[in-house]
Amino acid sequence: MADGTTWKTQYLNTDIDEVLLNGKFGNIVTVAKTKAERANYYCDNAVYAGSDAVCIQAALDYISGLGGGILYLKGGHYNCTSQLLYTGSNLTIMGDDANTILDFSSVASNLRCIYIHGAITATNSVVTTADALEGALTVTVADGSKFSAGDWVRVRSEGILITYAADVYGDPVLKRMGEIQKIKSINGNILTFYELLHGDYKLSDTATVDKMTMVENITLKDFKMIGNPAQYPYGISVEQCHRLKIQNIQSVDMIDRATHIVDCVWFRWYDNYVIGSNRTGLGYGCHIQNSSRDVICKRNGGIDCRHLIACGGDADYGVQYTQNWSDNILEYDSKTVGMFGPHPTYKGLIISNNNAGQCSLGFANGLDTIVTGNTATSFAIPSAVDGMIFSENVIDSIADHCLTIRSQKGHIKIFNNKFSCSAVDCDGINAAYQMKNLVIENNEVNVAGIGINCTTYSGLMGSENVSIKNNKVTCTGTEPGITVISTTYDIVGVTVEDNTVISAADGIMFTCYNNNITRAIVENNKVTVPATAMGISMDSTGTGLYAQSSVSENTVYGSLDGIKLTHCTYIDAVHNRVFSAAQNGLSILTGCIYYNVMDNDLATCATPLLRTAGVTGRIIINNRGYNPVGSFTAPDIPSSGDGTTGQVVNNFGYPCEVYIHGGTVTAIYISGTATGLTTGTFRIEPLQNVALTYSSAPTWTWRGL
């Protein structure tokens, strides 16, 4: 499929969202290689000194003078040693499919082979005089006379759009806001647009309005281009364009970019095939930059590309709005980094039904993104994500992760995906940094590393409202099934619920360093681990605490310790079932206070329940295998006291029934309060005490309740 034959057979004849941009223009100009063919221009004419590019450029200049038209390049191999340039509107360049070849392989410089552009007029750049915020229709400028109704403009600012970690994929920390608008009307210095502003433009960020000259109605289709890989060419470069379509073009060795789009509104990239756009650090099949919007990239294919499609860049102005990348195919090559490369300068991107084969799907970071129905080997969401849906994807990874999220924003939902990888230490879902309103639900994960990992790192605020629910996780290596880790910042509100975890190592692990995990709910999970591993663990290696949390309704099979709790305050462990733990069914260790351990089934464990000496504030009731039912060896009768001395405390952790009889007793006290009785049966709750005043010691029996 390296020549695109299979791809074209599969896609070329399918229906597309066809818009005939140039149907109203009747000027048709033909170009042929030789005079033997009937054409308006033929390249072997002596006028062009045998230069194919000069001949084609003459035809383009003629069409420009007419105000637009169709340039038809008849089948032939056109050797182009110079650029093809067009700065007008209403142009279609079409060939005879693969029979029309534009060969730029002999160019001697870093060339934009086909270059179509408008302009941004520097002399008509005017600063604003008032803040213009998202949702507004107007901008107030210093001099409205620079503009007219119907003008295209770029509204921009130098302020920080998104701040994010500089070490993530080498991206910088500053992105500049910008967008393209069309002026509807002008009232003095107030410009009114056809569409609402998508961003905030403030005086403090040097907000500016640039007048643009937009070319319009451009279509390029049905030919093949060949570049010079030693000279880093761009195949097609279009700047400042409204309504652009590029379709059914095969690009070979356009090593820098096969297609380069800057500040374009309404762009369609359909049915193209790219071979060899693989320059280190660049290498794009289609690179969409600055404030381009209303973009669809559909049914394109490629091989030996660093990225098939990318948007944004280090020095870009603008956020790119409303893009749809769907039904594309990229075949694997050693220089492939990922099918897609969106930098954090977009809002409203849909990535759907793409097949990255043995490639990574790439990485995405921006606002309001949908990633669904794709097949790939990995996907990364490096930074600055705010609003993403990741669903129905199949990721069979050959990397160190299936899905990596490094978000400083949040609002991410990951559901109904299949993640798999057999590589050592390959994680399924790795969510790090600041996770706010993160949902991981209904996924199938089968990996050798960590199944699902949520971690907060230093330098960022903590995470809130994380839900890990109803996932099926299988881990075959030495890493846990599900981990939640707090390092320097707190995690508030974590739910791990209804998951099935089968792990060759630990099952569900919470780790807290020097900060806290609050309102953690671990409920109704089914965990199967070996006898050397922890089933469910809340562990602390520093001063961090678990507060207002619960571990309930879980079932643990196997394990060393079924459930392990440390540094937990106000925590409930109730209605859990632990089967055949080799060491402890439930461990309550250092730092645990004010906890309730009730109604757990621990009967088949080697030691049903282990408590570290000194843990306080405990209630341990009705745990099968630990709490006795009926009589057991009672503590010794204390010395006679007065209610404040001679006390016996119920340290068993469960309610007891105490029957006192015989001897000569004059008073019985429960926690210092006289009962008024000298014999009978009394209920002693955990941590309550009983004291007796007597001249002849009585007899008592204790029963667990």
Side-chain angles (χ1 to χ4, degrees), residues 52 90 101 115-116 154 170 175 186 205 221 226 245 250 283 291 306 309 312 331 373 377 423 443 496 528 530 592 671:
D52 296 350
N90 308 319
I101 300 172
Y115 188 25
I116 300 171
R154 182 175 67 185
K175 291 295 177 185
I186 301 175
D205 294 332
K221 64 179 183 177
I226 300 174
K245 185 166 70 172
Q250 184 179 125
S291 301
R306 182 172 173 269
I309 305 171
E331 296 180 78
T377 59
N443 301 284
V496 181
T528 302
C592 290
S671 293

Side-chain angles (χ1 to χ4, degrees), residues 272-569:
N272 302 285
Y273 195 82
V274 181
I275 302 171
S277 292
N278 56 27
R279 183 180 178 184
T280 301
L282 292 167
Y284 306 116
C286 182
H287 191 194
I288 306 157
Q289 288 196 275
N290 278 12
S291 301
S292 299
R293 60 181 171 89
D294 301 329
V295 174
I296 298 177
C297 298
K298 190 171 185 179
R299 293 192 310 272
N300 303 284
I303 189 171
D304 193 17
C305 300
R306 182 172 173 269
H307 294 301
L308 182 62
I309 305 171
C311 67
D314 294 352
D316 277 12
Y317 275 109
V319 173
Q320 300 177 14
Y321 297 92
T322 55
Q323 296 203 42
N324 186 326
W325 305 349
S326 61
D327 301 301
N328 302 286
I329 296 176
L330 179 61
E331 296 180 78
Y332 176 74
D333 183 87
S334 60
K335 295 182 180 179
T336 300
V337 173
M339 189 170 190
F340 303 123
H343 294 75
T345 50
Y346 66 81
K347 182 176 183 180
L349 170 62
I350 297 173
I351 300 176
S352 65
N353 300 321
N354 301 283
N355 187 343
Q358 293 302 306
C359 311
S360 164
L361 197 58
F363 58 95
N365 41 4
L367 311 176
D368 301 337
T369 305
I370 297 173
V371 183
T372 184
N374 303 283
T375 301
T377 59
S378 64
F379 195 80
I381 306 171
S383 58
V385 176
D386 188 3
M388 171 172 278
I389 292 175
F390 192 93
S391 67
E392 308 290 345
N393 301 285
V394 178
I395 309 295
D396 186 4
S397 182
I398 57 175
D400 59 358
H401 65 270
C402 294
L403 172 63
T404 293
I405 307 167
R406 296 177 180 176
S407 173
Q408 297 180 27
K409 298 289 184 178
H411 304 94
I412 298 171
K413 187 171 183 179
I414 303 164
F415 64 98
N416 295 345
N417 302 282
K418 293 184 179 180
F419 301 102
S420 61
C421 182
S422 58
V424 176
D425 295 331
C426 174
D427 297 338
I429 302 171
N430 193 338
Y433 292 0
Q434 180 185 354
M435 294 285 110
K436 287 192 174 182
N437 302 309
L438 168 66
V439 176
I440 302 174
E441 188 172 301
N442 296 328
N443 301 284
E444 292 185 21
V445 182
N446 191 332
V447 295
I450 301 172
I452 299 172
N453 174 44
C454 293
T455 304
T456 60
Y457 285 132
S458 60
L460 297 166
M461 296 177 63
S463 297
E464 297 178 5
N465 303 325
V466 176
S467 176
I468 304 172
K469 185 176 181 181
N470 201 32
N471 301 283
K472 296 180 180 179
V473 179
T474 301
C475 297
T476 59
T478 59
E479 300 290 348
I482 298 175
T483 62
V484 179
I485 302 172
S486 171
T487 55
T488 308
Y489 285 87
D490 293 351
I491 299 178
V492 179
V494 181
T495 300
V496 181
E497 182 180 6
D498 297 324
N499 301 284
T500 299
V501 178
I502 301 174
S503 176
D506 296 327
I508 299 173
M509 302 291 294
F510 282 70
T511 302
C512 193
Y513 289 89
N514 295 319
N515 284 75
N516 304 323
I517 296 179
T518 304
R519 298 201 306 273
I521 298 173
V522 184
E523 183 174 295
N524 200 34
N525 301 283
K526 293 180 175 59
V527 179
T528 302
V529 295
T532 55
M534 296 294 171
I536 298 172
S537 174
M538 287 188 168
D539 202 359
S540 176
T541 61
T543 59
L545 297 173
Y546 300 90
Q548 304 170 30
S549 300
S550 69
V551 180
S552 63
E553 307 286 350
N554 301 285
T555 302
V556 179
Y557 300 94
S559 77
L560 184 66
D561 283 10
I563 299 172
K564 176 184 175 184
L565 306 177
T566 64
H567 290 85
C568 295
T569 64

Side-chain angles (χ1 to χ4, degrees), residues 237-303:
S237 183
V238 182
E239 300 176 1
Q240 298 88 42
C241 181
H242 175 227
R243 299 183 70 83
L244 166 67
K245 185 166 70 172
I246 298 174
Q247 183 173 12
N248 190 30
I249 293 177
Q250 184 179 125
S251 300
V252 180
D253 289 337
M254 296 296 178
I255 190 170
D256 203 314
R257 299 166 174 90
T259 299
H260 183 223
I261 304 302
V262 180
D263 288 328
C264 291
V265 176
W266 199 100
F267 167 53
R268 303 295 184 263
W269 198 59
Y270 287 151
D271 303 312
N272 302 285
Y273 195 82
V274 181
I275 302 171
S277 292
N278 56 27
R279 183 180 178 184
T280 301
L282 292 167
Y284 306 116
C286 182
H287 191 194
I288 306 157
Q289 288 196 275
N290 278 12
S291 301
S292 299
R293 60 181 171 89
D294 301 329
V295 174
I296 298 177
C297 298
K298 190 171 185 179
R299 293 192 310 272
N300 303 284
I303 189 171

Side-chain angles (χ1 to χ4, degrees), residues 68-119:
I70 298 172
L71 174 60
Y72 173 47
L73 300 172
K74 288 191 171 184
H77 195 122
Y78 298 86
N79 294 304
C80 300
T81 57
S82 58
Q83 181 182 79
L84 301 178
L85 176 66
Y86 191 83
T87 57
S89 295
N90 308 319
L91 171 69
T92 292
I93 300 177
M94 60 185 297
D96 187 17
D97 202 15
N99 296 316
T100 299
I101 300 172
L102 301 181
D103 189 341
F104 294 86
S105 62
S106 60
V107 295
S109 62
N110 195 357
L111 186 71
R112 286 172 166 83
C113 297
I114 298 177
Y115 188 25
I116 300 171
H117 66 88

